[in-house]
Every structure is written in C-alpha cells, then in structure tokens.
Amino acid sequence: MGLEGEDEGAISMLSDNTAKLTSAVSSLPELLEKKRLIDLHTNVATAVLEHIKTRKLDVYFECEEKIMSKTTLDKSLLDIISDPDAGTPEDKMRLFLIYYISTQQAPSEADLEQYKKALTDAGCDLNPLQYIKQWKAFAKMASAPASYGNTTTKPMGLLSRVMNTGSQFVMEGVKNLVLKQQNLPVTRILDNLMEMKSNPETDDYRYFDPKMLRGSDSSVPRNKNPFQEAIVFVVGGGNYIEYQNLVDYIKGKQGKHILYGCSELFNATQFIKQLSQLGQK
C-alpha cells in the first residue's frame, strides 16, 4: 500500500477504512432492498399522479370540497361537466350529485334541464339523478351537514408526502389535491353518542338500557359516562372511506374500540351503478 516504516497512525487509518468498507459491503443487500422498496412506492405514486392528471381528479376534488363547504367555485359547474377532457362520465355524475344533495335550494327547472343536457352529452346515465331527486324530496333534506368543511384539516398519507416533496415534472398540472382529515357524518354521530354530547343531529336517537326493565324511552335515565365500545352497522351500503375515517378517529381516543360493519360494501363506481338501478325502479 506504499506505507513505509512503523507508522501506527497510517496503519490505524487503513484498518479503520477497511472496516468501514467491509461494513458497507455487508450492508449492501439491505440497502439495495430498501432502494427497491422506495422505487416501488415512487413508481406507484407517480402512476397514481399520472392517472389523476389524466382525469383531472384534482379539479373534481377541489370542486367537491368547495361545494360541501359552501365556497365559491373558480369555474362554473356547467363548464366542468361540459369539458370533454375533464374526467369520466361517472366523475361528472358524482360531482353533480354532490352539488344537488349539498345545495340548500334546488336548481330551477330551466337550470336543471341545462345540467341534464350537459350530463347526457358527456355520456352520463341520468337514472342516479332521478333517484336522488326522489330521495331528497321524500327525506326533505334541503341542506348538507353544516359542520362539513369547518373541521381542522391536515395532510395525510403517502400521496400527500409525494405531493409535498415530488418533483415539479411529476406534479405539473396537479393542484390542491391534499387528502384531508375530516369527520364524516357517521363519525360525527358516533362521537356525539359515545361522548354523550348534546347535538341536534343525535338528540332524537332512541336510547335503550337493558338494565331498565320498565319505563318508556323518554323516562329512562341516560348514562352520563362516555362509552368505551361501539358497534357501527350501516344498513344499505357502507364504504372503505367511512371505515378509514372511523379508524383515524379512534386513534386519538385511547382505550376506545369500534367495530364497523355494513349490509353491502360499495366503491364509488358500484355506488353510482346502484343509484342507477334504483332510479329505474
């Protein structure tokens, strides 16, 4: 190695470098495996972002959030639906259904005909809208939950980290698509019931106590202590978003346990198809 004499410092340095090189070589398989996993997740995230850009899902996401939080849209709903390059027919129908359910005052017949024509031209099946019109008229639900959009939000998940740290090339054309932590209606209802909160949304819920053998529902003294366990069962269709929202909620409630179930489990496409079938009846 070109060392002369008994230079202990040089020999010590050589031994130290040799040990470091040996350690690096030994850990190389582990480092390569970590790199493989990082590349795998990066490729998946990049493919998801490309899909988002192709369908302009970030535009739909932003519009849906603004509609439900009663915020003015940057672009009219009719223009978004009429844009042939923005989303699939299912995306357009979902956006309009959210608008129709959330708006306090239903659109006039003339406006509704314009929307229906735009949806038809975009290749949408109008049966889901027909069912929602019947459902809304029957339930007299003229407004969306007022508390939606007023909750504290924070970025969540791998996609949000990629959004925040991704390259400009990857993120070009994608905006305002940061997943937010908000309590959905089922989570808000559960929180009110488990924590024994007084809220118009749950004040008329029936209360049964197996320890009370007699007495009407109104005369049963209610337990004032918060509940530690709950079973949430949705009749008519549940989804993974509700389930994940409950999971995120219970993480901040130490000692509490929730079991979620439903009679049917739908994804977004299956839900639209189900509405279409109901609208045909």
Side-chain angles (χ1 to χ4, degrees), residues 54-200:
T54 301
R55 291 172 57 185
K56 295 187 178 180
L57 292 180
D58 56 312
V59 176
Y60 281 92
F61 180 87
E62 182 182 8
C63 290
E64 291 168 3
E65 289 288 302
K66 288 185 175 181
I67 288 172
M68 291 186 285
S69 59
K70 306 297 188 295
T71 306
T72 304
L73 296 178
D74 298 330
K75 187 177 180 181
S76 72
L77 187 64
L78 192 60
D79 289 341
I80 298 174
I81 294 174
S82 302
D83 186 352
D85 297 325
T88 64
E90 289 79 10
D91 295 330
K92 298 176 188 292
M93 176 56 70
R94 182 187 68 250
L95 177 64
F96 184 73
L97 291 180
I98 290 175
Y99 162 75
Y100 192 83
I101 293 173
S102 301
T103 184
Q104 294 183 353
Q105 184 175 0
S108 64
E109 285 299 322
D111 291 340
L112 186 59
E113 286 302 319
Q114 280 189 312
Y115 285 121
K116 290 170 70 173
K117 183 179 183 305
L119 290 169
T120 302
D121 293 342
C124 298
D125 177 10
L126 297 184
N127 284 318
L129 175 59
Q130 183 63 28
Y131 174 75
I132 291 298
K133 285 177 62 179
Q134 297 173 355
W135 166 78
K136 191 171 182 179
F138 177 77
K140 296 180 180 180
M141 300 182 69
S143 62
S147 58
Y148 188 95
N150 297 328
T151 54
T152 303
T153 61
K154 59 182 180 180
M156 296 185 65
L158 172 65
L159 182 58
S160 296
R161 292 197 293 272
V162 174
M163 296 285 295
N164 293 330
T165 61
S167 67
Q168 184 177 359
F169 173 76
V170 174
M171 293 307 303
E172 183 179 0
V174 179
K175 62 175 183 177
N176 298 330
L177 189 62
V178 179
L179 303 181
K180 300 177 180 179
Q181 174 62 42
Q182 306 189 58
N183 284 341
L184 298 179
V186 66
T187 306
R188 292 199 310 271
I189 291 172
L190 180 71
D191 180 62
N192 292 335
L193 296 176
M194 291 192 73
E195 301 297 332
M196 303 303 293
K197 298 177 180 178
S198 178
N199 189 293

Side-chain angles (χ1 to χ4, degrees), residues 196-237:
M196 303 303 293
K197 298 177 180 178
S198 178
N199 189 293
E201 197 172 25
T202 54
D203 283 345
D204 60 346
Y205 273 52
R206 301 296 298 272
Y207 182 87
F208 300 96
D209 190 342
K211 297 178 182 178
M212 304 295 295
L213 300 179
R214 297 180 180 178
S216 63
D217 177 54
S218 58
S219 64
V220 175
R222 299 202 173 197
N223 178 26
K224 296 182 179 180
N225 297 323
F227 293 99
Q228 300 300 313
E229 296 181 348
I231 298 175
V232 180
F233 193 87
V234 181
V235 178

Side-chain angles (χ1 to χ4, degrees), residues 55 88-91 93-94 97 125 127-128 131-132 236-241 262-280:
R55 291 172 57 185
T88 64
E90 289 79 10
D91 295 330
M93 176 56 70
R94 182 187 68 250
L97 291 180
D125 177 10
N127 284 318
Y131 174 75
I132 291 298
N239 56 75
Y240 283 109
I241 297 177
C262 56
S263 56
E264 295 178 89
L265 191 63
F266 293 126
N267 60 31
T269 302
Q270 291 171 333
F271 183 68
I272 292 293
K273 289 182 179 180
Q274 181 75 5
L275 291 181
S276 178
Q277 293 174 1
L278 292 172
Q280 295 173 355

